[in-house]
Amino acid sequence: MDYFYHILVIALIYVIFASSLNLELGYAGLYNFGHVAFFAIGAYTSALLSLAGFSPAASMAIALLCSAASGALLAMPALRLSGDYFGIATLAFGELARLFALNERWLTKGPMGLPGIPRPLGIEAGISGIPVYFIFTVTITVAVLLILRKTTMSPFGRALKVVREDEFVARAFGKNVFSLKVRAVAMGSLFAGLAGALYAHFVTYISPYDFSLNETILVLLCVVLGGKGTLSGPVLGAFVIIFFQELLRFLPIPTDWGRFVSPIQGMIYGAVLVILMLKRPEGIIPEHRTLQC
Amino acid sequence: MSGYYLQLMTNGIIAGAVYALFAVGLTLVYGVFRFINFAHGELIAWGAYLTLAFSALIPFGAAIFPAVAVTVLIALAQERYVYAPLRKKAGITLLIASIGLSYFLRNGLRLLWGSDLKSFGFEAARGLVFFGITVSRTQIAMFLAALIFLGFVWGLHKFTMLGKGLRAAADSLELAEIVGIDMKKIGRAVWIISAVFAASGGILIAIDTNLEPMMGIANLLKAFAAVLLGGAGNVWGALLGGLFIGIAENLGVAFFSPGYKDAISFALIIAILLFKPTGIFAIMKGMR
Amino acid sequence: MLTIENVTKSFGGLTAVCGVSLQLGEIPITGLVGPNGSGKSTLFHMITGFYSVDKGRVFLEDREITNLKPHLISRMGLLRTFQHTRVLPFLSTLENLIAAAPLQRGESLVKLFLRPGAVRRDEKKNTEKAREVLETIRLQRLAEELAGRLSYGQQRLLELGRILMADPRVILLDEPTAGINPSLVRDLVQVIRGLTGGGIQVFLIEHNMPLVMELCDRVLVMDAGGLIFEGFPHEAVKDKAVIEAYLGKARDASKS
């Protein structure tokens, strides 16, 4: 039963993580493949601060701001790039961030990682604290979704869509495209950092290996499979992917074959991405009706 | 002290020659199809691993040929089943599909051969020494092979109809089609060349170092940085770019931590995209 | 109210616009004609900030707008359409209109969360205005339809509606009737005429000469990047330079 809570918490964290990417990718049309970097910044900032003695709650709050600020800062030069080159540049940035975490041992302890991250609000460490952490995470997730709902169903959200669909029209009608994009990335990075901080305090041990290309693919899959540009799409995607990912560990696989699980999962994820692009790029929950009569 | 740097330079040029192979393949594909094939890296890896597999059955020298052939088939299959159907869609759809394909192929590799380091099992032969610089036999082989392949492309580019077609296509796809150049044939030729280069380069690198599942994407990013340095679609630029990256990486270790060796490529990618997207070594027109 | 002083634009070795000066003054509808490639759309892009100006200056009323960012120029009341229709296909007709409204406080994140009442009022006001505009352009029954489903002509009308939403002072229309069937052209022309109420000026690029003669109070003719004629429409068709420009192009075309 505890393990079920564990999977739920991870799924909720990914709901936030995927929804934050969806704001940039689904609403603003910004293919930020380095999004995992802000997940990592949130995780590491919160972990380091709380290990240094700050209360975990305060650490998480500061981590949010750090992620948002770094997101905005990085966005500004990168936004000059067109769609796919923005994707590649952000991907390169994500990898740079991982290398930084791996090499700057004085800060991040490098490949050894950071163990013993305390839980917020006095929640107990270890397995006993999981159910309470679950309630904590649910509350935060609901709050995030409400905020995102208000944001996307507003004139701001509509302006983002205009920017996504046609930048020329956006400019011709007074929308400051650059400012809108920076704000979208700042907000996306803020919630990615929140997800990262939640992750760090949940698993209580993080290392650079938690923030690699695999996580980039995972979160991209959540958004693209669930349905980009919708509120419920990333939620559905996150639950589907995370439950698939975690429940696979439960299958009674003979130990000899244990090493096949991860590559097969990887192949499935890759194949799903390709098939989605070929057959149903809008995802399970489509954003709008098709134009066909 | 300068002997040390000269050694690093030599290592860099040789490594760079192989990177140039990858970059030229990648940029040829871009020139004709106007997209960056993320799965190109996996052609590098599969070329090496397939050689490993075949060399269990036949001598190493012979194993190279079926390995490269199968890699070419993989490339052609990529084009036929994934990229061609998606050609009309937005560039980002192709990018995501190629990322997915690359992940699929990389994990296929892990499934078949596992994640630990593998090796072809050649002994490290004693190197030859020229003017105080040590070059291993493998390095000589790498350099010669790269020269031969690149020379082949140079000849192709300059003298054959195919080369003319490639240059026309790189300039303007629409015009090339209007003038009657058979884009299907050129497309297939480009995939074959890039796959052969990728597989061969992968085998060479695997001889020099070892095989591991991430070798594809690690080299892809270097190739990609080289392509950008030269201006996407520019074959000579890609060549020079590859050399530059090889030299930069090897000289760079003299100045900062080896853990950041890969970071050079990433940083270059970001820097070029931000400051000079048309490339630094672009000899002819830059990218669209 | 739109003044252009000696503007020039080159691309590499090619000069697209060379030393063009004009003033829209008090004229309600001005036409801009000329053979293909004469630099008309380039001029529009330069006025509206989508292309940079190499030399020269542009003024809206008394304020210089040379090389300002397009969204700032638009906020000052200089609005435009493009050569091909650019409605947002996946938004409804009504949403396309509402999205075009200027100064929406709900577009600011801070105001969205701290002043929800003001945001709601703006939205209500803009929705009502959108419904009025829909009636002006006679697309009421298509309010909820996805804009991508509209016919080309209806989309062009929608684009005019968007401009109405945005409090225009000067409107630049790039080939508004190109490719539209004649029955809808009537509607379009009526809407364009209707735009000029309240001191609003229209500056339009057109190839349809009879339409220009009928609609425009004044005509400017461009050829090879320069302005070769300025005056009344009926005089333009008799002007030697104008005839030479069009005939010259026809002669070149028949030679090759």
Side-chain angles (χ1 to χ4, degrees):
Chain A
M1 197 50 196
D2 279 327
Y3 198 64
F4 187 63
Y5 278 125
H6 175 97
I7 303 179
L8 274 178
V9 173
I10 301 286
L12 288 170
I13 289 176
Y14 264 79
V15 164
I16 299 178
F17 190 21
S19 298
S20 68
L21 178 61
N22 187 34
L23 185 67
E24 299 181 31
L25 192 153
Y27 285 93
L30 295 167
Y31 284 79
N32 185 353
F33 292 141
H35 199 62
V36 70
F38 305 105
F39 186 74
I41 291 177
Y44 267 96
T45 310
S46 195
L48 287 169
L49 284 173
S50 58
L51 284 171
F54 288 84
S55 85
S59 310
M60 287 175 77
I62 299 178
L64 288 198
L65 295 174
C66 282
S67 302
S70 29
L73 275 171
L74 266 30
M76 291 196 259
L79 284 172
R80 280 188 255 167
L81 301 169
S82 67
D84 14 356
Y85 284 105
F86 180 77
I88 291 165
T90 48
L91 189 73
F93 173 70
E95 282 295 284
L96 262 177
R98 186 182 57 86
L99 281 177
F100 181 85
L102 209 51
N103 282 288
E104 300 302 310
R105 288 164 206 239
W106 57 275
L107 184 64
T108 62
K109 300 264 185 62
M112 296 207 303
L114 300 170
I117 304 171
R119 294 251 170 92
L121 305 180
I123 304 177
E124 286 163 26
I127 303 190
S128 49
I130 293 187
V132 186
Y133 203 88
F134 165 69
I135 299 184
F136 175 60
T137 310
V138 169
T139 319
I140 294 190
T141 308
V142 169
V144 168
L145 287 174
L146 284 174
I147 294 176
L148 282 174
R149 183 166 185 274
K150 192 168 181 70
T151 306
T152 55
M153 289 174 65
S154 70
F156 175 77
R158 187 172 52 219
L160 281 186
K161 285 196 204 175
V162 176
V163 164
R164 180 191 73 198
E165 292 297 312
D166 195 328
E167 281 192 28
F168 289 107
V169 165
R171 292 200 175 97
F173 286 94
K175 320 290 180 206
N176 186 338
V177 167
F178 182 73
S179 160
L180 281 164
K181 284 183 177 179
V182 170
R183 279 181 278 161
V185 175
M187 201 180 200
S189 306
L190 183 135
F191 288 124
L194 173 59
L198 278 171
Y199 178 77
H201 292 280
F202 181 56
V203 296
T204 69
Y205 165 68
I206 57 172
S207 77
Y209 302 108
D210 294 322
F211 309 109
S212 68
L213 215 52
N214 290 331
E215 280 63 43
T216 298
I217 302 245
L218 224 53
V219 74
L220 179 65
L221 203 48
C222 291
V223 176
V224 168
L225 175 68
K228 58 181 167 73
T230 65
L231 275 171
S232 41
V235 177
L236 176 66
F239 273 96
V240 167
I241 297 292
I242 296 302
F243 269 80
F244 172 73
Q245 167 112 321
E246 297 294 320
L247 286 179
L248 228 58
R249 294 186 211 217
F250 270 117
L251 291 183
I253 303 173
T255 20
D256 284 353
W257 291 20
R259 61 191 176 87
F260 291 138
V261 174
S262 169
I264 291 183
Q265 267 182 336
M267 287 177 79
I268 294 179
Y269 293 149
V272 170
L273 269 179
V274 173
I275 294 172
L276 271 174
M277 291 299 109
L278 282 169
K279 297 289 176 200
R280 202 182 160 91
E282 67 270 20
I284 297 177
I285 302 179
E287 181 188 346
H288 30 56
R289 334 184 283 263
T290 54
L291 283 178
Q292 265 78 3
C293 295
Chain B
M1 219 29 205
S2 69
Y4 171 61
Y5 287 112
L6 220 55
Q7 176 74 56
L8 289 180
M9 273 283 286
T10 312
N11 292 344
I13 293 177
I14 295 175
V18 180
Y19 296 157
L21 270 183
F22 301 146
V24 165
L26 201 59
T27 217
L28 278 173
V29 169
Y30 183 87
V32 174
F33 294 109
R34 291 285 189 277
F35 88 105
I36 295 289
N37 179 16
F38 240 79
H40 188 81
E42 306 320 313
L43 297 174
I44 298 175
W46 273 81
Y49 274 88
L50 281 169
T51 309
L52 186 70
F54 281 116
S55 64
L57 306 166
I58 52 183
F60 182 83
I64 295 181
F65 294 98
V68 172
V70 173
T71 310
V72 169
L73 287 177
I74 295 178
L76 290 173
Q78 283 179 5
E79 164 68 10
R80 171 117 191 273
Y81 295 112
V82 180
Y83 297 142
L86 288 177
R87 196 125 285 141
K88 294 275 156 55
K89 308 259 184 91
I92 206 68
T93 312
L94 260 176
L95 187 62
I96 294 182
S98 74
I99 291 178
L101 198 51
S102 129
Y103 203 62
F104 176 78
L105 287 170
R106 189 154 67 245
N107 279 284
L109 212 65
R110 282 177 64 209
L111 182 69
L112 292 171
W113 287 287
S115 299
D116 13 295
L117 256 52
K118 292 221 168 357
S119 169
F120 284 134
F122 293 119
E123 284 173 14
R126 210 178 58 238
L128 303 156
V129 184
F130 301 99
F131 305 103
I133 304 172
T134 312
V135 203
S136 74
R137 290 171 208 272
T138 316
Q139 283 181 302
I140 296 178
M142 284 162 77
F143 192 66
L144 282 175
L147 268 181
I148 295 173
F149 279 124
L150 292 168
F152 168 72
V153 161
W154 178 75
L156 200 73
H157 226 234
K158 241 185 155 207
F159 300 120
T160 68
M161 284 307 295
L162 177 62
K164 292 197 172 61
L166 279 171
R167 274 182 284 156
D171 229 19
S172 163
L173 273 173
E174 291 97 7
L175 279 180
E177 281 190 2
I178 291 175
V179 172
I181 297 177
D182 185 351
M183 287 315 295
K184 271 210 147 91
K185 264 214 281 217
I186 294 199
R188 221 172 306 145
V190 151
W191 281 115
I192 294 176
I193 295 177
S194 84
V196 168
F197 281 18
S200 314
I203 297 171
L204 287 169
I205 287 189
I207 296 176
D208 195 36
T209 54
N210 42 44
L211 297 94
E212 52 107 9
M214 295 300 278
M215 65 185 286
I217 194 154
N219 284 294
L220 169 76
L221 286 160
K222 295 174 207 218
F224 185 53
V227 165
L228 281 179
L229 265 176
N234 186 324
V235 174
W236 293 115
L239 203 155
L240 287 172
L243 284 173
F244 180 83
I245 301 235
I247 296 174
E249 272 190 354
N250 281 277
L251 276 182
V253 242
F255 298 107
F256 43 77
S257 148
Y260 275 122
K261 195 168 175 200
D262 289 341
I264 296 181
S265 308
F266 300 142
L268 268 171
I269 291 174
I270 296 177
I272 298 169
L273 283 176
L274 286 182
F275 301 117
K276 203 142 187 8
T278 46
I280 296 176
F281 297 129
I283 298 176
M284 27 173 248
K285 207 165 54 146
M287 60 193 181
R288 224 161 39 131
Chain C
M1 289 192 275
L2 179 67
T3 310
I4 297 165
E5 263 179 31
N6 217 350
V7 295
T8 301
K9 173 93 192 153
S10 307
F11 297 101
L14 183 71
T15 305
V17 171
C18 188
V20 169
S21 298
L22 61 94
Q23 208 181 47
L24 284 192
E26 298 292 319
I27 318 278
I29 303 185
T30 309
L32 179 61
V33 302
N36 281 321
S38 47
K40 309 188 294 295
S41 283
T42 310
L43 184 65
F44 266 27
H45 291 326
M46 288 161 75
I47 298 172
T48 53
F50 284 92
Y51 277 175
S52 60
V53 174
D54 293 344
K55 272 191 278 216
R57 302 159 85 186
V58 184
F59 295 87
L60 181 65
E61 329 245 298
D62 297 318
R63 296 179 57 185
E64 178 161 6
I65 60 171
T66 323
N67 286 326
L68 270 189
K69 292 225 154 104
H71 69 271
L72 292 172
I73 294 180
S74 148
R75 287 183 196 175
M76 287 162 68
L78 178 57
L79 294 163
R80 67 166 300 173
T81 60
F82 296 88
Q83 217 167 353
H84 301 290
T85 166
R86 293 185 96 114
V87 297
L88 302 166
F90 294 108
L91 265 58
S92 74
T93 308
L94 188 67
E95 284 173 320
N96 261 276
L97 290 174
I98 304 177
L103 301 173
Q104 298 184 39
R105 280 177 287 191
E107 286 176 9
S108 149
L109 279 174
V110 171
K111 296 206 183 89
L112 180 66
F113 286 98
L114 295 180
R115 301 191 56 197
V119 170
R120 238 176 322 196
R121 279 194 297 276
D122 275 358
E123 191 71 2
K124 188 150 180 281
K125 181 189 79 186
N126 288 326
T127 310
E128 277 167 16
K129 185 172 179 190
R131 293 211 181 269
E132 282 169 22
V133 168
L134 265 181
E135 286 195 22
T136 312
I137 58 177
R138 285 177 241 184
L139 292 180
Q140 312 94 300
R141 50 183 186 83
L142 293 170
E144 303 303 326
E145 193 68 49
L146 286 182
R149 297 246 195 110
L150 267 50
S151 76
Y152 193 79
Q154 289 170 329
Q155 290 183 2
R156 283 307 222 180
L157 272 172
L158 177 55
E159 289 192 305
L160 293 179
R162 278 203 304 213
I163 291 191
L164 279 174
M165 287 294 298
D167 293 335
R169 315 271 278 287
V170 176
I171 303 175
L172 267 52
L173 301 176
D174 198 337
E175 300 193 38
T177 66
I180 313 262
N181 69 69
S183 55
L184 262 172
V185 170
R186 292 284 101 217
D187 281 349
L188 262 167
V189 166
Q190 216 171 345
V191 175
I192 293 177
R193 272 223 190 82
L195 291 173
T196 59
I200 297 175
Q201 294 181 292
V202 173
F203 191 17
L204 56 85
I205 295 177
E206 255 302 337
H207 282 293
N208 183 340
M209 284 311 289
L211 187 69
V212 169
M213 305 272 282
E214 179 197 335
L215 190 56
C216 302
D217 305 302
R218 204 158 115 257
V219 143
L220 298 162
V221 183
M222 275 183 83
D223 183 36
L227 207 54
I228 60 173
F229 176 85
E230 195 176 330
F232 292 107
H234 63 265
E235 289 173 354
V237 293
K238 290 188 273 186
D239 181 272
K240 277 214 318 238
V242 174
I243 296 175
E244 180 58 37
Y246 276 97
L247 273 184
K249 288 290 183 314
R251 205 180 5 208
D252 289 339
S254 64
K255 261 196 227 151
S256 58

